[in-house]
Amino acid sequence: MCGIQGITARRSFRWKIVQWVVAALAYLDYRGYDSCGVAALVNGKWVWLKRVGDSAVLKSALSKTRWLSCLVLGHTRWATQGMVTDRNAHPHFSGHVAVVHNGNLTNADRLRTWLKGMGYVFLSETDTEAIAHLVHYYYQKIGNLRRAVQLAIKDLEGDYAILLASAMEPQVLVAARNNPPLLIGLGDGFNIVSSDARGIIALTRNIIYLVEGDVAEVTPEEVLIFNQRGRRVNRKIYVSLESLGALNKGRYSHFMQKEIHQQPQALRNTIQPVLQRGFSPTLFGKRARKIFGRLDSILIIACGTSYNAGCVMKRRIESVAEVPVRVEIATQYHPILSASPHELVVVISQSGETHDTKEAIKRARAAGHKYVLAICNVPESSIPRASSLIFYTQAGMEVGVASTKAFTAQLAALIILAYTIAKVKKRLSRTDETSALESLRKLPLAARRTLALEPEVQAWARCIVRRRSALFLGMGSFYPVAQEGALKLKEISYIHAEALAAGELKHGSLALVNKRFPVVVSAPSEEFLRDTVLGMKEVNARGGKLYVITDKASNLVASKNIRVIYLPKHDPLHAAVLQTILMQVLSYWAAVMLKRNVDKPRNLAKSVTVS
Ligand code: M6R
């Protein structure tokens, strides 16, 4: 899960290239930010700088250097093999060869042993250094970087997107991919190789997406692409419409805070096309009417927060569209039975690049699934490109590692999906459609009013940060809301948190509860409220401290050890969105009070592109 960047340019650009690469790394940090590095070919020799920390650390370390170079490699790292140290940061070198890598080699140990036997000395603990030496080894035999890479990748096992350069070929970048994405940006007098459109579009909108197995030889004037079998191929040039979004926090202290507060707008933008066009299948793609008309069940696949979104909306889709819905964690999805041809796979992913989700799509296709609908927040990312139907959430660029606005936009997208399927299947009356649209129209305002409760939640956070562990309770669709609340809290505050269906408490976890043990409860007035209240009583009887998010209709009231926040008056169908917003706010303030790195929590990355 690393960011890769490289530029080869004509001499006239030599003043700018290092800055361009480092500026691009700021947009790639989300792929990993434990360390980063840059290498530039200056007067025929590699110079480099590597630092533990994100691209901002590298940028400030570079401020005193003025490297004039036409061939530059950059990298942001999320450690897979080897500790987080300057030495393990990329690029890695073997004599004249430099390499940056995203992925994970499974035969690195074997390669290291063999290469050591050939006399190569390893300076890092990474799998990537083995690639540098291997390419160097083949280069010594054939004297051509691209051909050396083509030979070397035959020896690699596992996932990789690699970008290499050699001081012997001062204009050439060679890129190769097996799984993680690699893109080429076509400039005028320069060309770019990046793991990501975000690394390219500030400089050019013309992009080639390398296909699995491709090897590309890139110079400032030319791009030659060879497929898995070594044959020259032409790949389509796309004109990217993606927008970079401002990498600034505005009046907020953190991106996460900004993104929490952007939710009313993110919801409005996601809902807008539906308000204009009604629940039209064309919102999902040209073939949606036919596919929705035939589907008899839905399989949702996703990871992390996106998985929670699927779980939250499962019951709602079932009740509105009247089709059974299963939700699977992508890594857990290994089908045994062959697929029903009429089951629609719905893949949810903020980034559109999550490796585990991409692998699950492959397994779904292998099991016989024909149609995949991607619900995604990043245009042109891998998952929508591999899908038959697409719905883009319009949350805008999400920078904070903890997903917030993308999650609530996913919930909105799934509501839209439910009603659209119902409409295609003629299970939605005109009156119901009108009232569903009216309900959706009110959602952004309800989100805004909910955010006004921030000071009350902040007061809760002050108590929760004194504890090392917390439970989150919910029932029905609000159990996954509790799961999302627990995930947010642990992800950014590092307080251990676990979610339970309230009815499960007495089956084991109640043993955790003692005096003042914090239990956050999602308790809207809905069909399962009775069970949620029973769980609350069990906690209360043991002196646990309850933090309850509810509404006036629940009749729940504050008392000793029970704190209550009432959501503003809202359509009950919006409760999951509004409840989650308050849980995000709670986690945010807990993390701030504990002085955590809110936007870049330890050990994580925004886009998880390795297995
Ligand atoms: O980009 P994706 O939605 O596919 O990412 C899936 C998870 O990695 C992601 O939701 C993760 O759980 C979030 N960081 C949680 O806030």
Side-chain angles (χ1 to χ4, degrees):
M1 242 136 73
C2 305
I4 287 180
Q5 186 75 9
I7 303 185
T8 172
R10 277 191 215 139
R11 216 179 125 66
S12 53
F13 288 97
R14 66 193 186 284
W15 304 92
K16 302 178 180 167
I17 305 302
V18 172
Q19 284 102 306
W20 280 359
V21 168
V22 175
L25 291 184
Y27 283 98
L28 303 184
D29 263 343
Y30 81 103
R31 285 176 171 267
Y33 41 77
D34 57 46
S35 54
C36 55
V38 66
L41 193 66
V42 178
N43 299 327
K45 291 209 167 63
W46 287 114
V47 290
W48 66 89
L49 200 70
K50 308 191 206 183
R51 284 287 183 275
V52 167
D54 63 13
S55 64
V57 176
L58 185 72
K59 192 174 172 190
S60 94
L62 272 169
S63 61
K64 289 189 196 88
T65 60
R66 259 172 84 85
W67 294 337
L68 305 187
S69 174
C70 298
L71 193 69
V72 181
L73 296 180
H75 190 265
T76 64
R77 180 170 187 245
W78 184 84
T80 49
Q81 300 191 27
M83 304 278 285
V84 177
T85 59
D86 287 352
R87 189 171 272 223
N88 285 336
H90 300 207
H92 290 281
F93 300 89
S94 180
H96 56 91
V97 174
V99 63
V100 288
H101 168 216
N102 171 27
N104 210 349
L105 296 187
T106 48
N107 64 338
D109 291 343
R110 245 182 301 138
L111 288 173
R112 282 174 86 93
T113 310
W114 184 77
L115 286 158
K116 279 181 187 166
M118 301 305 291
Y120 284 100
V121 176
F122 281 78
L123 303 176
S124 77
E125 303 150 329
T126 64
D127 48 348
T128 308
E129 198 180 354
I131 303 175
H133 291 320
L134 200 59
V135 170
H136 182 273
Y137 169 81
Y138 285 115
Y139 197 101
Q140 297 311 102
K141 289 182 181 294
I142 50 173
N144 175 281
L145 183 62
R146 192 246 308 156
R147 282 173 36 225
V149 172
Q150 282 172 315
L151 287 172
I153 59 177
K154 293 200 172 106
D155 298 336
L156 305 182
E157 291 169 18
D159 293 338
Y160 55 83
I162 46 176
L163 180 62
L164 294 105
S166 159
M168 311 291 272
E169 299 182 24
Q171 292 217 297
V172 180
L173 288 170
V174 175
R177 68 162 284 203
N178 181 41
N179 251 333
L182 263 188
L183 291 64
I184 300 174
L186 307 173
D188 186 4
F190 62 90
N191 285 315
I192 308 165
V193 179
S194 183
S195 50
D196 208 304
R198 292 181 195 180
I200 295 175
I201 56 178
L203 297 172
T204 171
R205 297 242 154 223
N206 297 329
I207 292 183
I208 294 174
Y209 291 87
L210 291 182
V211 168
E212 244 166 72
D214 278 356
V215 174
E217 181 175 325
V218 183
T219 64
E221 323 293 345
E222 202 176 26
V223 174
L224 304 178
I225 301 176
F226 301 82
N227 70 9
Q228 210 151 22
R229 282 190 259 147
R231 293 222 183 97
R232 267 287 306 278
V233 284
N234 290 319
R235 299 274 179 234
K236 193 171 158 193
I237 301 172
Y238 291 83
V239 178
S240 175
L241 300 176
E242 204 188 333
S243 95
L244 267 181
L247 268 187
N248 70 61
K249 300 179 193 124
R251 61 196 170 91
Y252 297 100
S253 308
H254 300 94
F255 284 108
M256 182 183 179
Q257 189 187 27
K258 178 180 171 188
E259 286 156 8
I260 287 173
H261 284 269
Q262 282 176 327
Q263 287 179 105
Q265 191 59 45
L267 288 165
R268 197 169 294 119
N269 293 347
T270 302
I271 291 164
Q272 194 56 33
V274 190
L275 297 183
Q276 285 162 354
R277 286 151 66 183
F279 294 108
S280 161
T282 54
L283 293 164
F284 295 84
K286 281 192 200 132
R287 292 190 288 162
R289 183 180 301 279
K290 201 163 156 195
I291 296 171
F292 289 176
R294 286 187 189 158
L295 71 84
D296 60 9
S297 60
I298 291 177
L299 165 62
I300 297 179
I301 302 176
C303 299
T305 285
S306 298
Y307 166 77
N308 289 340
C311 295
V312 170
M313 281 300 155
K314 170 186 154 62
R315 293 173 62 82
R316 179 87 175 269
I317 302 171
E318 287 180 334
S319 73
V320 172
E322 296 173 36
V323 288
V325 179
R326 316 183 267 150
V327 193
E328 296 260 13
I329 297 173
T331 45
Q332 286 280 91
Y333 171 69
H334 289 268
I336 293 169
L337 304 176
S338 49
S340 147
H342 299 305
E343 183 165 70
L344 174 68
V345 177
V346 177
V347 170
I348 310 173
S349 175
Q350 187 285 132
S351 63
E353 297 294 351
T354 303
H355 174 85
D356 293 334
T357 310
K358 280 161 64 180
E359 289 298 300
I361 296 178
K362 288 184 195 161
R363 292 194 289 274
R365 293 222 187 266
H369 279 292
K370 272 171 80 182
Y371 302 116
V372 176
L373 160 65
I375 294 179
C376 185
N377 196 43
V378 179
E380 302 162 23
S381 52
S382 303
I383 289 174
R385 279 188 291 114
S387 303
S388 344
L389 303 175
I390 304 171
F391 185 95
Y392 283 118
T393 46
Q394 302 296 329
M397 188 161 132
E398 195 178 62
V399 178
V401 163
S403 188
T404 52
K405 60 177 180 172
F407 174 79
T408 44
Q410 287 165 352
L411 297 186
L414 290 166
I415 296 173
I416 294 165
L417 176 67
Y419 284 104
T420 308
I421 294 172
K423 188 172 175 185
V424 171
K425 288 190 170 294
K426 307 214 179 324
R427 292 169 187 165
L428 187 68
S429 69
R430 262 288 159 79
T431 331
D432 286 348
E433 178 170 16
T434 311
S435 77
L437 288 171
E438 198 40 44
S439 157
L440 272 178
R441 193 189 307 278
K442 290 180 190 152
L443 181 53
L445 181 59
R448 191 149 66 79
R449 290 191 175 138
T450 301
L451 284 165
L453 297 168
E454 185 161 10
E456 288 181 51
V457 184
Q458 213 172 335
W460 285 10
R462 241 169 255 130
C463 304
I464 285 176
V465 292
R466 293 197 215 119
R467 306 284 146 201
R468 295 172 64 171
S469 186
L471 278 179
F472 284 69
L473 297 187
M475 281 296 293
S477 301
F478 296 87
Y479 165 44
V481 166
Q483 282 180 308
E484 177 57 13
L487 175 59
K488 282 295 89 98
L489 186 67
K490 63 187 151 195
E491 184 178 18
I492 56 167
S493 74
Y494 318 151
I495 296 172
H496 171 255
E498 199 183 321
L500 282 174
E504 275 291 290
L505 200 51
K506 57 190 173 294
H507 296 292
S509 305
L510 195 55
L512 287 172
V513 176
N514 55 12
K515 275 205 169 145
R516 288 189 295 277
F517 185 92
V519 180
V520 180
V521 192
S522 172
S525 45
E526 47 92 58
E527 56 177 311
F528 295 108
L529 180 63
R530 192 187 139 271
D531 306 76
T532 308
V533 170
L534 288 178
M536 285 167 53
K537 286 187 172 159
E538 289 158 10
V539 171
N540 193 243
R542 274 112 195 139
K545 189 129 194 170
L546 290 153
Y547 299 86
V548 186
I549 306 174
T550 185
D551 48 67
K552 283 276 163 60
S554 72
N555 292 324
L556 293 172
V557 284
S559 63
K560 185 167 184 279
N561 282 339
I562 306 184
R563 292 191 175 199
V564 178
I565 291 180
Y566 299 103
L567 288 171
K569 206 162 178 281
H570 62 274
D571 183 334
L573 296 176
H574 299 158
V577 173
L578 308 183
Q579 290 261 346
T580 312
I581 289 176
L582 290 192
M583 294 194 184
Q584 296 166 351
V585 173
L586 178 66
S587 311
Y588 172 75
W589 281 109
V592 170
M593 288 167 194
L594 291 169
K595 299 197 173 19
R596 305 299 191 218
N597 189 346
V598 175
D599 288 328
K600 292 180 176 173
R602 68 185 180 204
N603 307 337
L604 301 180
K606 180 77 185 152
S607 176
V608 185
T609 58
V610 293
S611 50

